[in-house]
Short mmCIF file of all heavy atoms in Angstrom, two decimals:
data_model
loop_
_atom_site.label_atom_id
_atom_site.label_comp_id
_atom_site.label_asym_id
_atom_site.label_seq_id
_atom_site.Cartn_x
_atom_site.Cartn_y
_atom_site.Cartn_z
N ALA A 1 5.56 -20.01 -6.71
CA ALA A 1 5.78 -20.68 -7.98
C ALA A 1 4.91 -20.08 -9.12
O ALA A 1 5.20 -20.33 -10.26
CB ALA A 1 5.48 -22.18 -7.82
N ALA A 2 3.85 -19.41 -8.81
CA ALA A 2 2.96 -18.86 -9.83
C ALA A 2 2.81 -17.37 -9.59
O ALA A 2 3.02 -16.88 -8.50
CB ALA A 2 1.62 -19.54 -9.77
N CYS A 3 2.37 -16.65 -10.64
CA CYS A 3 2.11 -15.21 -10.56
C CYS A 3 3.35 -14.45 -10.03
O CYS A 3 3.22 -13.56 -9.24
CB CYS A 3 0.91 -14.91 -9.67
SG CYS A 3 -0.63 -15.62 -10.25
N GLN A 4 4.54 -14.86 -10.44
CA GLN A 4 5.71 -14.17 -9.94
C GLN A 4 6.80 -14.11 -10.99
O GLN A 4 6.81 -14.87 -11.95
CB GLN A 4 6.29 -14.86 -8.67
CG GLN A 4 6.93 -16.20 -8.97
CD GLN A 4 7.71 -16.70 -7.78
OE1 GLN A 4 7.42 -16.30 -6.64
NE2 GLN A 4 8.66 -17.54 -7.95
N GLY A 5 7.73 -13.29 -10.78
CA GLY A 5 8.93 -13.19 -11.63
C GLY A 5 10.13 -13.02 -10.72
O GLY A 5 10.05 -13.18 -9.49
N ASP A 6 11.24 -12.65 -11.33
CA ASP A 6 12.44 -12.53 -10.58
C ASP A 6 12.97 -11.06 -10.69
O ASP A 6 14.14 -10.76 -10.56
CB ASP A 6 13.53 -13.48 -11.09
CG ASP A 6 14.68 -13.63 -10.06
OD1 ASP A 6 14.39 -13.40 -8.86
OD2 ASP A 6 15.78 -13.96 -10.47
N THR A 7 12.05 -10.13 -10.95
CA THR A 7 12.38 -8.76 -11.11
C THR A 7 12.28 -8.05 -9.75
O THR A 7 11.21 -7.58 -9.37
CB THR A 7 11.49 -8.06 -12.14
OG1 THR A 7 10.11 -8.29 -11.73
CG2 THR A 7 11.70 -8.70 -13.50
N ARG A 8 13.38 -7.96 -9.05
CA ARG A 8 13.38 -7.29 -7.74
C ARG A 8 13.18 -5.82 -7.88
O ARG A 8 13.79 -5.19 -8.71
CB ARG A 8 14.69 -7.59 -7.01
CG ARG A 8 15.00 -9.08 -6.87
CD ARG A 8 14.17 -9.72 -5.79
NE ARG A 8 14.32 -11.18 -5.85
CZ ARG A 8 13.74 -11.95 -4.96
NH1 ARG A 8 13.03 -11.49 -3.94
NH2 ARG A 8 13.87 -13.27 -5.02
N SER A 9 12.30 -5.24 -7.08
CA SER A 9 12.02 -3.81 -7.16
C SER A 9 11.57 -3.32 -5.81
O SER A 9 11.50 -4.09 -4.83
CB SER A 9 10.96 -3.53 -8.17
OG SER A 9 9.69 -3.95 -7.73
N THR A 10 11.29 -2.08 -5.76
CA THR A 10 10.77 -1.46 -4.52
C THR A 10 9.28 -1.09 -4.65
O THR A 10 8.74 -0.30 -3.85
CB THR A 10 11.56 -0.18 -4.16
OG1 THR A 10 11.47 0.74 -5.23
CG2 THR A 10 13.02 -0.55 -3.86
N ARG A 11 8.60 -1.62 -5.65
CA ARG A 11 7.21 -1.22 -5.86
C ARG A 11 6.29 -1.68 -4.70
O ARG A 11 5.24 -1.08 -4.51
CB ARG A 11 6.69 -1.77 -7.19
CG ARG A 11 6.80 -3.30 -7.36
CD ARG A 11 6.22 -3.73 -8.74
NE ARG A 11 6.39 -5.13 -8.99
CZ ARG A 11 7.28 -5.64 -9.84
NH1 ARG A 11 8.07 -4.78 -10.51
NH2 ARG A 11 7.41 -6.93 -10.05
N HIS A 12 6.72 -2.66 -3.95
CA HIS A 12 5.93 -3.11 -2.81
C HIS A 12 6.02 -2.11 -1.68
O HIS A 12 5.29 -2.27 -0.67
CB HIS A 12 6.39 -4.51 -2.36
CG HIS A 12 7.78 -4.57 -1.91
ND1 HIS A 12 8.87 -4.38 -2.75
CD2 HIS A 12 8.34 -4.80 -0.70
CE1 HIS A 12 9.99 -4.51 -2.09
NE2 HIS A 12 9.69 -4.77 -0.83
N LEU A 13 6.91 -1.12 -1.76
CA LEU A 13 7.06 -0.12 -0.73
C LEU A 13 6.42 1.19 -1.10
O LEU A 13 6.50 2.18 -0.33
CB LEU A 13 8.56 0.14 -0.42
CG LEU A 13 9.32 -1.11 0.02
CD1 LEU A 13 10.80 -0.78 0.22
CD2 LEU A 13 8.74 -1.67 1.28
N VAL A 14 5.72 1.28 -2.22
CA VAL A 14 5.03 2.52 -2.66
C VAL A 14 3.98 2.89 -1.56
O VAL A 14 3.26 2.03 -1.10
CB VAL A 14 4.35 2.32 -3.99
CG1 VAL A 14 3.44 3.50 -4.37
CG2 VAL A 14 5.38 2.08 -5.03
N PRO A 15 3.97 4.15 -1.14
CA PRO A 15 3.04 4.54 -0.06
C PRO A 15 1.58 4.52 -0.52
O PRO A 15 1.29 4.52 -1.73
CB PRO A 15 3.50 5.99 0.25
CG PRO A 15 4.15 6.47 -0.97
CD PRO A 15 4.84 5.28 -1.58
N ILE A 16 0.70 4.49 0.44
CA ILE A 16 -0.70 4.63 0.17
C ILE A 16 -0.97 5.94 -0.48
O ILE A 16 -0.47 7.01 -0.01
CB ILE A 16 -1.58 4.49 1.47
CG1 ILE A 16 -1.31 3.14 2.11
CG2 ILE A 16 -3.04 4.72 1.19
CD1 ILE A 16 -1.90 3.00 3.50
N PRO A 17 -1.70 6.02 -1.60
CA PRO A 17 -1.95 7.30 -2.27
C PRO A 17 -2.56 8.34 -1.37
O PRO A 17 -3.38 8.02 -0.46
CB PRO A 17 -2.91 6.92 -3.38
CG PRO A 17 -2.68 5.48 -3.67
CD PRO A 17 -2.35 4.88 -2.33
N SER A 18 -2.23 9.60 -1.60
CA SER A 18 -2.70 10.66 -0.75
C SER A 18 -4.22 10.81 -0.74
O SER A 18 -4.82 11.13 0.31
CB SER A 18 -2.09 12.02 -1.21
OG SER A 18 -2.41 12.26 -2.58
N ALA A 19 -4.88 10.49 -1.87
CA ALA A 19 -6.33 10.60 -1.91
C ALA A 19 -6.94 9.53 -0.99
O ALA A 19 -7.96 9.82 -0.32
CB ALA A 19 -6.82 10.40 -3.35
N THR A 20 -6.37 8.35 -0.94
CA THR A 20 -6.91 7.32 -0.07
C THR A 20 -6.56 7.64 1.39
O THR A 20 -7.39 7.32 2.27
CB THR A 20 -6.31 5.96 -0.46
OG1 THR A 20 -6.64 5.68 -1.84
CG2 THR A 20 -6.85 4.84 0.39
N MET A 21 -5.42 8.23 1.63
CA MET A 21 -5.13 8.66 2.99
C MET A 21 -6.15 9.71 3.48
O MET A 21 -6.58 9.64 4.62
CB MET A 21 -3.70 9.29 3.06
CG MET A 21 -2.60 8.24 2.88
SD MET A 21 -2.42 7.13 4.24
CE MET A 21 -1.75 8.25 5.49
N ALA A 22 -6.48 10.63 2.59
CA ALA A 22 -7.49 11.65 2.93
C ALA A 22 -8.85 11.00 3.15
O ALA A 22 -9.58 11.42 4.08
CB ALA A 22 -7.56 12.68 1.82
N MET A 23 -9.18 9.97 2.38
CA MET A 23 -10.47 9.29 2.57
C MET A 23 -10.48 8.60 3.90
O MET A 23 -11.50 8.64 4.60
CB MET A 23 -10.67 8.27 1.44
CG MET A 23 -11.96 7.50 1.50
SD MET A 23 -12.13 6.29 0.17
CE MET A 23 -12.26 7.39 -1.24
N MET A 24 -9.37 7.97 4.25
CA MET A 24 -9.33 7.30 5.59
C MET A 24 -9.49 8.31 6.69
O MET A 24 -10.21 8.11 7.63
CB MET A 24 -7.98 6.63 5.74
CG MET A 24 -7.93 5.20 5.19
SD MET A 24 -6.47 4.26 5.73
CE MET A 24 -5.25 4.94 4.64
N ALA A 25 -8.81 9.47 6.59
CA ALA A 25 -8.90 10.49 7.62
C ALA A 25 -10.35 10.98 7.75
O ALA A 25 -10.85 11.19 8.88
CB ALA A 25 -7.96 11.65 7.30
N SER A 26 -11.02 11.15 6.62
CA SER A 26 -12.41 11.63 6.67
C SER A 26 -13.36 10.65 7.31
O SER A 26 -14.42 11.00 7.79
CB SER A 26 -12.89 11.96 5.23
OG SER A 26 -13.05 10.77 4.46
N LYS A 27 -13.01 9.36 7.31
CA LYS A 27 -13.80 8.30 7.92
C LYS A 27 -13.30 7.91 9.30
O LYS A 27 -13.79 6.93 9.87
CB LYS A 27 -13.82 7.07 6.97
CG LYS A 27 -14.51 7.39 5.64
CD LYS A 27 -14.61 6.08 4.80
CE LYS A 27 -15.33 6.37 3.49
NZ LYS A 27 -15.53 5.12 2.72
N GLY A 28 -12.33 8.67 9.82
CA GLY A 28 -11.81 8.35 11.14
C GLY A 28 -10.97 7.09 11.18
O GLY A 28 -10.89 6.43 12.21
N MET A 29 -10.37 6.74 10.03
CA MET A 29 -9.56 5.51 9.93
C MET A 29 -8.08 5.82 9.92
O MET A 29 -7.70 6.98 9.62
CB MET A 29 -9.93 4.70 8.64
CG MET A 29 -11.37 4.28 8.61
SD MET A 29 -11.75 3.57 6.97
CE MET A 29 -13.46 3.14 7.16
N SER A 30 -7.27 4.83 10.18
CA SER A 30 -5.83 4.99 10.16
C SER A 30 -5.20 3.90 9.38
O SER A 30 -5.70 2.78 9.27
CB SER A 30 -5.30 4.91 11.61
OG SER A 30 -3.91 4.66 11.66
N PRO A 31 -4.03 4.17 8.73
CA PRO A 31 -3.31 3.11 7.99
C PRO A 31 -2.97 1.90 8.89
O PRO A 31 -2.79 0.77 8.44
CB PRO A 31 -2.06 3.79 7.48
CG PRO A 31 -2.38 5.22 7.46
CD PRO A 31 -3.32 5.47 8.60
N ASN A 32 -2.88 2.15 10.23
CA ASN A 32 -2.50 1.10 11.18
C ASN A 32 -3.64 0.15 11.45
O ASN A 32 -3.44 -0.94 11.98
CB ASN A 32 -2.04 1.70 12.48
CG ASN A 32 -0.88 2.65 12.31
OD1 ASN A 32 -0.11 2.54 11.36
ND2 ASN A 32 -0.73 3.62 13.21
N ASP A 33 -4.90 0.55 11.15
CA ASP A 33 -6.05 -0.28 11.49
C ASP A 33 -6.04 -1.56 10.70
O ASP A 33 -5.70 -1.58 9.49
CB ASP A 33 -7.35 0.52 11.18
CG ASP A 33 -7.49 1.71 12.11
OD1 ASP A 33 -6.96 1.72 13.17
OD2 ASP A 33 -8.20 2.67 11.63
N PRO A 34 -6.52 -2.70 11.31
CA PRO A 34 -6.61 -3.94 10.59
C PRO A 34 -7.59 -3.85 9.41
O PRO A 34 -8.49 -3.00 9.38
CB PRO A 34 -7.14 -4.91 11.65
CG PRO A 34 -6.72 -4.32 12.95
CD PRO A 34 -6.82 -2.83 12.74
#
């Protein structure tokens, strides 16, 4: 009911940025980790 609109889009499917993926890899982390 709040903080929302009715503009359907695919922005919620945008991938994790490559720089953050590289940061995760450098720290031994995975996108799958909790």
